[in-house]
Amino acid sequence: MYRRQALVRGNSRSGDDSRAQAREWRPPFPLDLSGVLAPLRRGKGDPTWRSVGEGSAIWRVSSTPDGPMTMRLHRRDDGTVVAAAWGAGAQWALDGLPALLGADDDPSAFAAHHPLISDAVRRMPGIRLGSSRRVWDSLIPAVLEQKVTGVEARRSWRELCWRFGDLPPGPAPQGMRVPPTPAQIRAVPDWEWHRAGVDSARRRAILAAAAVAHRLEAAAELGGEAGRELLRKVPGIGVWTAAEIAQRVWGDPDAVSFGDFHIPTVVGWALVGRPLDDAGMLTVLAPYAPQRHRAVRYVELSGFRRPRFGPRYSPRDYRAM
C-alpha cells in the first residue's frame, strides 16, 4: 500500500521547512518498527533520534544527498506505517522508507542451527535488516566507537552533533541535531576534537573519510563485500568499522563485526557455552554464511546474557589527557 500527500505544519525553523511530505506504507510482512530501526540509534541521548510516548512515534534526523531531513514515523493499528518528513531531503527519505524498514531484506533463506537462535526467530518475526542508504551518518559514530566504551563514543557523538551539527528542519523535538556534514567536520579545530573526547587516531580516520565522503556513498550501491572493501580504502577504517557501517546502511546480512571487544564472547557463551576469539567465532558462525550478521543479531536480541567474572572495562576520558 502506498500513499503520499503534502502536509503543512508549524513550529518550523524556516518557511520552507514548515511544509511536510507524508507517505503511508503497509509492509507485506510482520514488522517490529522500533526493533528494525534500533541499530540506527546511538544511545539514549542520541541527538539524531527521539522516541516520543510509549512507542507512539519515532523521530529521526539525518543528512541525505539532497540535504538534511527530519522524519516522524508511527504505526497505525492496522499495521500501516505513517511517515512525515521535512527539509530538502524529505523526498529522498520517503522514497527509501520501505528499504529503511527492511523491505529489501530477504530472511527467507536463513536457517537457525542453534536452539537459542531458533527460539529468537520464532519469538521475533518482525525483525529485519533495514537500510538507511546513507554512509556518512553511520560512518562518524562507527569510527567514534573504535576501541573505546560505548559511553565514551556516545558522549563524543552527542557533543560533535550539538556543537557542529545544524538545527533540523521542521518541528523536530527540542535538542535534535543534523549530523555534521563532511565540510563541517573538516572545519572542527583540533582543540574541539579534544574537548569532545576524540583521540588523534579516530580524528584522523574521520577526517580522511570526510575528504572523500562523496565517493564513499557508492558503497551503499555496491553492497556486500564490495561495499565494505570500498570503505576499507580509507585509512583508519578496518573490518570492524566497515561491518558496523554495512549493517546499518545496506542491511548487510553477512557483515560480522570481527574485532569487537564483546561480540565473540557473547556469541561463544550463547552458542557453545564458552568464550571465543574472532577465529573461534568465525568457525561457529560458518554454517550461517552468507547471513552471519543476522545470526549475531538474533543472539543479541535473544535476551541472553553472558556470565561476568570481573569488573567492567573502565571508560577513559580523553578530555582529561
Side-chain angles (χ1 to χ4, degrees):
M1 179 179 178
Y2 176 95
R3 185 181 302 160
R4 178 178 284 130
Q5 60 189 43
L7 299 177
V8 176
R9 297 288 180 90
N11 269 344
S12 63
R13 290 156 178 76
S14 73
D16 290 339
D17 290 345
S18 66
R19 189 169 186 83
Q21 297 184 60
R23 177 175 182 178
E24 297 182 1
W25 180 68
R26 182 179 295 175
F29 47 79
L31 175 66
D32 179 345
L33 180 64
S34 60
V36 171
L37 293 175
L40 298 176
R41 185 182 190 183
R42 306 291 180 155
K44 293 182 179 179
D46 187 346
T48 70
W49 176 290
R50 288 290 185 276
S51 181
V52 180
E54 294 188 9
S56 60
I58 293 173
W59 290 80
R60 288 192 64 240
V61 173
S62 71
S63 65
T64 79
D66 300 327
M69 77 88 192
T70 299
M71 178 181 281
R72 179 186 185 274
L73 303 104
H74 74 278
R75 198 173 184 195
R76 292 204 301 250
D77 292 340
D78 64 359
T80 300
V81 176
V82 180
W86 294 260
Q91 182 70 60
W92 185 91
L94 291 175
D95 288 344
L97 179 64
L100 179 69
L101 301 181
D104 293 345
D105 184 31
D106 182 13
S108 62
F110 182 76
H113 300 281
H114 297 81
L116 180 141
I117 294 179
S118 179
D119 180 65
V121 172
R122 178 186 59 80
R123 290 187 293 107
M124 293 176 279
I127 293 297
R128 299 175 79 91
L129 304 178
S131 303
S132 73
R133 304 181 299 142
R134 187 63 172 163
V135 170
W136 177 247
D137 287 4
S138 289
L139 185 148
I140 302 177
V143 173
L144 290 174
E145 291 172 2
Q146 292 177 353
K147 299 181 180 180
V148 298
T149 66
V151 171
E152 296 171 272
R154 290 163 186 166
R155 180 181 61 212
S156 297
W157 173 239
R158 289 195 302 270
E159 295 191 13
L160 287 174
C161 288
W162 283 336
R163 292 178 188 171
F164 304 104
D166 293 328
L167 289 171
Q174 187 70 26
M176 298 193 77
R177 292 292 187 277
V178 180
T181 65
Q184 289 170 327
I185 282 292
R186 292 197 299 271
V188 175
D190 289 349
W191 64 87
E192 289 287 6
W193 287 103
H194 184 77
R195 185 181 177 190
V198 184
D199 61 276
S200 58
R202 290 180 293 157
R203 180 187 66 189
R204 285 194 300 268
I206 292 174
L207 290 175
V212 293
H214 61 292
R215 299 179 185 176
L216 297 181
E217 293 300 330
E221 299 178 7
L222 292 171
E225 176 58 28
R228 284 177 264 145
E229 183 178 354
L230 174 59
L231 296 174
R232 293 197 300 268
K233 292 182 182 297
V234 177
I237 294 183
V239 171
W240 182 89
T241 307
E244 290 286 311
I245 297 168
Q247 292 162 12
R248 294 163 173 81
V249 176
W250 61 86
D252 193 326
D254 203 45
V256 182
S257 301
F258 290 110
D260 193 90
F261 186 77
H262 298 287
I263 290 176
T265 302
V266 173
V267 170
W269 279 109
L271 301 185
V272 296
R274 66 179 187 277
L276 297 172
D277 56 14
D278 277 347
M281 183 170 67
L282 179 64
T283 300
V284 169
L285 293 178
Y288 291 101
Q291 302 205 41
R292 295 173 296 177
H293 166 58
R294 193 187 307 278
V296 174
R297 179 84 175 122
Y298 279 122
V299 170
E300 294 173 332
L301 293 172
S302 68
F304 176 84
R305 294 293 180 268
R306 66 180 177 88
R308 294 191 179 277
F309 302 104
R312 295 187 177 185
Y313 179 76
S314 298
R316 291 169 293 177
D317 192 344
Y318 286 97
R319 298 173 299 179
M321 296 181 181

